[in-house]
Amino acid sequence: MNAMTDVSSRITRRFAKLKAEKRTGFVAFITANDPTPDVFHEIFHGLPGAGVDVIEIGMPFSDPMADGPSIQLSSQRSLKFNTSLKDVFAAVREFRKTDADMPIVLMGYYNPIYRMGPAKFAATAAEAGADGVIIVDLPPEEADELDVHLKANHLHFIFLTAPTSSDERLPAIVTRASGFLYYVAVAGITGTKSAEEGAVKAAVARLRRHTNLPVAVGFGIKTPEAARTIAAHCDAAVVGSAIVDVIAKGLNQSGQPEAGLAQKVLAFVKSMAQAVHGGQG
Amino acid sequence: MTKVESRNTYRTGVDENGHFGLFGGRYVAETLMPLILDLEKAYNAAKDDPKFHAELADLHKHYVGRPSPLYLAARLTAHLGGAKIYFKREELNHTGSHKINNCLGQILIAMRMGKKRIIAETGAGQHGVATATVCARFGLKCVVYMGAKDIERQKPNVFRMRLLGAEVRPVTQGTGTLKDAMNEALRDWVANVADTYYLIGTAAGPHPYPTMVRDFQKVIGEEVRTQLHEMEGRLPDSLVAAVGGGSNAIGLFHPFLDDPSVKIFGVEAAGRGIDSGAHASSITGGSPGVLHGNRTYLLQDENGQITDAHSISAGLDYPGIGPEHSWLHEQGRVKYVPITDTEALASFQLCSRVEGILPALECAHALAYVEKIAPALPSDHLLVLNMSGRGDKDVFTIAEAMGEKL
């Protein structure tokens, strides 16, 4: 269809491998520089060893409208360090020095990208070693001005679909989407309601009638049990708020991370990854 | 990206995707997209339905008290010694501001869509009060999001909303002001898509809100056109209105955009001065960006993070502006000018003493600009100022700024 279906991309290779191994993938979200640049670095670099199949890095924004309290606070913690897109790219570049295979998806809101310029954003993200982007407030109707630059730089444009996305609407989304399709399991903001198995199963089946792309399900997966249940019905499960909550709980009253926080977060990620991987086992 | 085309009219509105040139659009999460599209359909259907217009006109006449008077401010005119100054008395509307015009229009749309629960954001509380009012009038559940800081400085309006049966939810995230209230309202909407209608209070947000809100506010300018024709037999020479999100301003301006003889001024809040960084002048001191569903001029830092707005007026304390204003600015049709807290406070006091009208702090900004330009204008220059709200809600803020304890 386009350059994005190129089998040589890290994302397509990873999903092909998962399929061959009959495993459901585990996508872990953390916000860049949360809770501090050092602890973030330790968590980020530890994720592959904890069983993560795709890493989503949050690009912090001052006004994250689609996010619940957990990810809002994580953005705020990150912005205390004036985290910019340049810092996010630097972290990805550093990660790539030791890991050439792990798919990395950047997730955020459009304004910082627009401010930098979509062309520069896409070129720098690709050069740093990112594989795709999810832009929460850029529906297909507004996606053209970024899409052209993502395509030019062989970056996947990963779109969100929601319980409210109708059958009439889905074709416009899936024709633009590449890499994988992200299904927002609950109508709501991140980290609040819980995803419901029956609804997710039906929704994923509906998406599969529109696309051959892998389907990742996120929003509302909080526990290993929930992860195991949802994983049985999709190609990958995404966990964000639950991981970020472990970070938040490991901060003292002045907001400083307690000793060993990164290891604690990675232990939780590992438990979630095992639950997901057991899903189709 | 939509190409800005040269036009022979400024009033055709948006293209089919909701863009005013570069500005506007629908920058929302996918969960909301289908709702925004439904709303657009419902609004377009209502626009073509004479029954809708008849119902709204009846409410305007009997519930709001429209048309609002166009008043010759003779003492202020004499005091400034130049242009002939008229006030469009929107502060005499039911609930004390222009906000009711929009709320009535949207509540009728919400009911046509079968929604049972209304949410709104508010800064100064005027929109919250107007929303609570129409919800009470039509028996709908009402939840108003309001920044914790604004709740503190607008206590009378908070109590009014509660008296009207609304639930006021304090927002402590971010700076605890209007932008954060809008974030929370959007989050509520995403989570309650099935039964909830988001009644946005200004001519901003994702398409179709900027156009729809403007359409519900343009009654202001249409009345001015008729009224001034009756009183003076001609068009005004200048229009002046305060701009936060910009609904009262676009309501006054829109019917005159294609009359080249009419000079138009939008007055932004310059807070402690543009150079201080503590201001709310999106056009004078900001740059284009994307927030709250639309592309428009915003206050932001070099990384695209939204920065805090400041104004003594809670109604202007917002880091963005409606997209049509951004477009009119770039087209050069409307001139946007800054007025500081101090200048607005002085004009508040002048208007109170000279005209016996306590203007809302928002309108005091527009008045301050009139004070600047009127003296140099000839006595046959007709200037219309939108007195969009009354100042009773602001007396505590003003007392504090004047160093008085109530």
Side-chain angles (χ1 to χ4, degrees):
Chain A
M1 202 189 319
N2 58 35
M4 299 307 94
T5 50
D6 180 353
V7 285
S8 71
S9 97
R10 291 187 192 96
I11 291 176
T12 45
R13 275 200 308 263
R14 179 59 46 102
F15 276 100
K17 184 165 176 271
L18 287 166
K19 195 172 182 182
E21 293 171 1
K22 295 190 164 41
R23 286 198 300 132
T24 300
F26 179 58
V27 184
F29 169 95
I30 50 173
T31 301
N33 285 353
D34 176 32
T36 65
D38 287 348
V39 175
F40 163 72
H41 181 274
E42 199 182 339
I43 297 171
F44 186 14
H45 287 251
L47 288 175
V52 172
D53 299 297
V54 176
I55 298 176
E56 240 183 65
I57 298 293
M59 303 178 280
F61 182 48
S62 53
D63 294 76
M65 297 172 314
D67 285 299
S70 299
I71 291 178
Q72 287 174 43
L73 289 172
S74 113
S75 276
Q76 283 174 20
R77 290 193 295 267
S78 171
L79 288 174
K80 274 195 203 143
F81 299 96
N82 284 320
T83 305
S84 67
L85 292 177
K86 273 187 201 156
D87 299 323
V88 176
F89 297 145
V92 173
R93 212 175 276 126
E94 178 71 21
F95 181 92
R96 278 283 169 250
K97 286 181 185 166
T98 54
D99 191 321
D101 301 321
M102 175 62 66
I104 297 176
V105 173
L106 304 179
M107 182 163 188
Y109 292 79
Y110 190 49
N111 196 53
I113 293 168
Y114 179 62
R115 182 75 174 166
M116 168 174 269
K120 186 179 172 192
F121 169 81
T124 320
E127 169 270 312
D131 302 295
V133 302
I134 302 173
I135 310 301
V136 179
D137 55 352
L138 214 53
E141 283 82 351
E142 304 292 350
D144 281 350
E145 74 181 31
L146 179 61
D147 195 16
V148 53
H149 300 294
L150 295 180
K151 281 202 172 79
N153 289 282
H154 306 286
L155 288 167
H156 289 288
F157 205 164
I158 295 149
F159 277 89
L160 303 176
T161 56
T164 50
S165 309
S166 63
D167 281 318
E168 292 73 50
R169 200 171 154 67
L170 284 172
I173 300 175
V174 300
T175 53
R176 285 169 184 278
S178 73
F180 59 92
L181 203 58
Y182 190 131
Y183 179 67
V184 173
V186 295
I189 51 179
T190 50
T192 49
K193 299 178 189 168
S194 293
E196 201 265 309
E197 183 182 9
V200 167
K201 188 179 175 185
V204 173
R206 184 163 75 95
L207 292 177
R208 294 212 196 280
R209 289 198 292 273
H210 290 272
T211 184
N212 294 320
L213 285 172
V215 177
V217 175
F219 281 45
I221 304 177
K222 298 173 185 174
T223 61
E225 295 70 42
R228 187 176 296 119
T229 309
I230 298 300
H233 306 291
C234 56
D235 301 304
V238 188
V239 177
S241 298
I243 297 172
V244 167
D245 280 341
V246 177
I247 295 176
K249 282 194 196 112
L251 304 175
N252 66 21
Q253 281 187 327
S254 54
Q256 296 302 311
E258 59 190 30
L261 176 56
Q263 291 313 312
K264 210 169 161 182
V265 172
L266 290 168
F268 176 74
V269 169
K270 196 168 183 179
S271 70
M272 293 297 270
Q274 282 169 349
V276 170
H277 291 150
Q280 289 184 344
Chain B
M1 202 177 304
T2 312
K3 192 167 156 276
V4 180
E5 288 166 13
S6 63
R7 307 186 182 202
N8 52 16
T9 174
Y10 294 101
R11 300 177 63 211
T12 48
V14 294
D15 69 14
E16 62 181 33
N17 291 314
H19 296 101
F20 300 92
L22 177 67
F23 302 103
R26 291 178 283 221
Y27 295 86
V28 296
E30 174 58 26
T31 313
L32 286 181
M33 258 326 280
L35 278 91
I36 304 266
L37 296 171
D38 282 353
L39 172 60
E40 187 181 1
K41 261 187 232 153
Y43 176 55
N44 285 336
K47 250 194 328 197
D48 295 337
D49 182 354
K51 266 182 16 206
F52 173 79
H53 292 284
E55 191 175 2
L56 190 56
D58 184 72
L59 287 162
H60 275 170
K61 186 175 177 190
H62 298 106
Y63 192 63
V64 179
R66 300 208 73 90
S68 67
L70 184 68
Y71 163 75
L72 173 61
R75 294 238 305 147
L76 184 66
T77 298
H79 179 86
L80 296 176
K84 199 169 179 183
I85 300 164
Y86 283 90
F87 291 170
K88 178 60 173 166
R89 303 287 306 275
E90 288 295 299
E91 101 282 11
L92 293 178
N93 292 341
H94 179 42
T95 74
S97 82
H98 70 291
K99 294 290 187 187
I100 192 81
N101 304 331
N102 168 46
C103 288
L104 280 172
Q106 285 200 54
I107 202 88
L108 295 183
I109 302 281
M111 288 189 296
R112 286 171 75 105
M113 295 177 80
K115 304 293 184 185
K116 305 280 182 230
R117 177 176 177 268
I118 306 295
I119 57 170
E121 83 295 336
T122 196
Q126 296 300 85
H127 173 58
V129 167
T131 305
T133 299
V134 298
C135 288
R137 168 67 182 73
F138 290 99
L140 298 170
K141 189 172 160 35
C142 180
V143 174
V144 178
Y145 288 92
M146 189 167 185
K149 188 174 146 195
D150 288 338
I151 287 182
E152 195 48 45
R153 54 181 173 175
Q154 302 290 342
K155 282 177 193 155
N157 271 343
V158 175
F159 188 56
R160 274 183 200 112
M161 286 183 262
R162 291 191 177 131
L163 288 174
L164 290 159
E167 179 194 341
V168 180
R169 290 194 188 165
V171 177
T172 51
Q173 284 93 335
T175 51
T177 58
L178 182 53
K179 91 172 165 85
D180 308 293
M182 201 152 179
N183 288 333
E184 276 310 294
L186 283 162
R187 289 177 188 129
D188 180 313
W189 201 23
V190 168
N192 299 288
V193 284
D195 69 337
T196 297
Y197 181 91
Y198 181 16
L199 208 163
I200 293 184
T202 193
H207 177 66
Y209 284 101
T211 309
M212 179 171 68
V213 174
R214 177 253 279 152
D215 287 350
F216 291 141
Q217 292 294 358
K218 70 184 181 191
V219 63
I220 300 170
E222 286 164 354
E223 286 177 6
V224 166
R225 213 179 165 92
T226 308
Q227 290 166 323
L228 200 68
H229 189 77
E230 282 165 9
M231 295 164 85
E232 298 276 0
R234 66 180 182 92
L235 289 171
D237 297 303
S238 305
L239 303 173
V240 182
V243 184
S247 70
N248 91 80
I250 202 71
L252 175 65
F253 299 167
H254 194 262
F256 297 99
L257 290 174
D258 286 341
D259 298 297
S261 69
V262 182
K263 291 194 178 64
I264 308 182
F265 302 94
V267 183
E268 295 192 297
R272 298 193 196 84
I274 301 291
D275 296 337
S276 74
H279 63 83
S281 301
S282 307
I283 286 182
T284 312
S287 54
V290 173
L291 179 69
H292 292 154
N294 59 176
R295 174 155 35 201
T296 193
Y297 275 77
L298 297 174
L299 304 183
Q300 56 182 326
D301 68 14
E302 69 280 5
N303 294 325
Q305 305 297 341
I306 308 306
T307 53
D308 298 346
H310 164 81
S311 170
I312 190 168
S313 155
L316 302 178
D317 197 349
Y318 177 71
I321 185 170
E324 194 165 9
H325 287 291
S326 291
W327 180 71
L328 290 168
H329 163 69
E330 294 220 332
Q331 295 289 308
R333 178 62 187 101
V334 177
K335 191 175 176 199
Y336 294 86
V337 294
I339 285 291
T340 64
D341 289 352
T342 312
E343 291 169 320
L345 272 169
S347 291
F348 177 94
Q349 293 171 69
L350 177 71
C351 183
S352 302
R353 279 184 277 109
V354 173
E355 288 294 344
I357 294 170
L358 300 187
L361 270 175
E362 293 78 20
C363 315
H365 285 74
L367 272 164
Y369 189 67
V370 169
E371 273 187 65
K372 283 189 177 180
I373 61 169
L377 295 167
S379 59
D380 62 350
H381 184 103
L382 304 180
L383 187 156
V384 178
L385 171 138
N386 198 6
M387 186 61 73
S388 60
R390 64 183 179 216
D392 307 54
K393 69 182 171 61
D394 293 316
V395 294
F396 293 98
T397 308
I398 289 159
E400 197 187 320
M402 291 169 68
E404 293 200 22
K405 204 155 174 76
L406 297 186

